[in-house]
Amino acid sequence: MLRPDYPIKTDRLLLRPFQPTDLDDFHSYRSHPDVYRYLYGDHVTKEECADLLAEFAADRELTKAGDRLALAVHLPEADRVIGSVVLKWLSETDRQGEIGYSLHPGFQGRGYATEAARKMLELGFEHLGLHRIVAECDPRNEPSWRLMERLGMRREAHFRELEIFKGEWGDLFVYAVLEEEYARARA
């Protein structure tokens, strides 16, 4: 079980549950073409974002396998939410999890996503006791898989033409890191 004390602080960011007042910031990046290009679904309206924001706001703890922790990435110096990070608890028995992240394009390339995703790995391994954490992305999303590699994750699979994604065959990269690999990298 994982019930973090909020906000979770990194060097430059605050990770916290989403709030209704985050809607404008949330919609600003979730509806951006460079972001939804790699997400399931198409451009989202503000009303659809409000529904998703309400779902994310409820995902503030992990009590059982299948739960998701979805946190706002708040940048204090800009006083706004610039993205989101997710930790899913996939299996209690096998101690498996998954991370995900999304960041406003105007704030990419500064290490914020790496900083936030690294904190999610820490939560998964050091606080939830996971053995293995995976992450997935479209191979065309080079910044995403490069981030996974910076986190010490290794590419385990390249599924070719796995599914029809936005009207065309889409590939999928799967990355993973084991608890022992994570611990070695932190030492």
Side-chain angles (χ1 to χ4, degrees):
M1 180 176 342
L2 177 61
R3 288 190 173 118
D5 290 328
Y6 295 111
I8 299 167
K9 296 179 181 180
T10 69
D11 289 342
R12 301 175 293 168
L13 305 168
L14 298 176
L15 307 180
R16 60 162 174 78
F18 278 97
Q19 305 164 356
T21 54
D22 296 328
L23 181 58
D24 288 341
D25 291 344
F26 186 65
H27 182 255
S28 173
Y29 75 88
R30 286 296 288 208
S31 65
H32 196 286
D34 291 340
V35 173
Y36 71 77
R37 172 182 183 194
Y38 298 113
L39 299 175
Y40 289 98
D42 290 316
H43 175 78
V44 290
T45 66
K46 199 160 192 178
E47 293 75 26
E48 291 167 330
C49 267
D51 292 341
L52 182 58
L53 182 69
E55 284 180 36
F56 276 14
D59 295 337
R60 55 183 49 225
E61 63 183 20
L62 299 171
T63 59
K64 64 186 181 317
D67 285 352
R68 169 182 71 184
L69 185 67
L71 302 178
V73 177
H74 183 266
L75 180 61
E77 74 179 41
D79 193 27
R80 65 180 288 188
V81 170
I82 62 168
S84 59
V85 285
V86 173
L87 172 62
K88 295 178 188 175
W89 191 1
L90 299 177
S91 170
E92 185 173 359
T93 304
D94 299 320
R95 298 173 40 218
Q96 305 288 308
E98 179 179 5
I99 61 167
Y101 40 83
S102 183
L103 201 69
H104 190 291
F107 294 91
Q108 292 175 2
R110 301 180 202 175
Y112 296 131
T114 303
E115 193 172 316
R118 186 170 282 124
K119 184 57 80 170
M120 298 311 269
L121 289 178
E122 178 186 314
L123 290 173
F125 288 124
E126 298 180 26
H127 299 276
L128 192 57
L130 296 178
H131 172 70
R132 182 172 181 272
I133 297 177
V134 300
E136 301 176 346
C137 75
D138 185 311
R140 297 172 297 178
N141 190 352
E142 185 175 346
S144 184
W145 58 261
R146 293 263 185 225
L147 185 155
M148 293 175 205
E149 291 174 355
R150 280 193 302 279
L151 293 172
M153 302 180 92
R154 80 195 112 59
R155 188 180 306 164
E156 291 191 334
H158 179 178
F159 295 105
R160 298 186 183 278
E161 298 185 5
L162 177 68
E163 62 187 347
I164 301 291
F165 182 75
K166 299 194 178 182
E168 62 185 16
W169 283 108
D171 289 7
L172 181 73
F173 279 167
V174 177
Y175 278 75
V177 61
L178 298 175
E179 180 181 24
E180 63 192 36
E181 295 166 327
Y182 169 81
R184 266 196 315 270
R186 300 269 298 179

